[in-house]
Amino acid sequence: MSAHCQLTGRRPGFGNTISHSHRRTSRRFDPNIQRKRYWLPSEGRYVRLTLSAKGVKTVDMIGIEAAVTRIRARGEKV
């Protein structure tokens, strides 16, 4: 599973870990990705989405129908 949100498009960020001696090693900042299952009434089935924590809140706010419409507009399969 790739670490990206289907709704918001959040992906990992990259940076450096800086030690006490100021040596730099590369690291990765992963988004808080969750797999959630939602009932999609218009199609009469469940859909499983890979969402960030912000994406879950967005679905709660705008509704699953609007969220799936946005995801499909970005060209992702649901």
Side-chain angles (χ1 to χ4, degrees):
M1 174 175 80
S2 64
H4 82 279
C5 177
Q6 289 181 300
L7 183 59
T8 62
R10 288 183 183 222
R11 292 186 176 272
F14 295 90
N16 291 312
T17 299
I18 302 179
S19 69
H20 180 69
S21 63
H22 220 63
R23 287 178 60 109
R24 292 178 168 95
T25 54
S26 64
R27 64 162 294 181
R28 179 174 148 146
F29 297 91
D30 285 327
N32 183 6
I33 297 294
Q34 312 291 325
R35 284 186 57 95
K36 295 276 289 178
R37 193 174 82 137
Y38 291 98
W39 174 252
L40 194 58
S42 64
E43 297 180 17
R45 69 183 180 103
Y46 284 99
V47 292
R48 191 177 296 276
L49 300 176
T50 305
L51 301 170
S52 63
K54 174 137 183 160
V56 172
K57 292 177 188 177
T58 304
V59 170
D60 291 343
M61 189 174 64
I62 67 172
I64 186 63
E65 298 288 343
V68 167
T69 304
R70 283 189 193 179
I71 292 169
R72 287 182 175 150
R74 293 181 60 211
E76 289 198 42
K77 186 180 170 201
V78 176

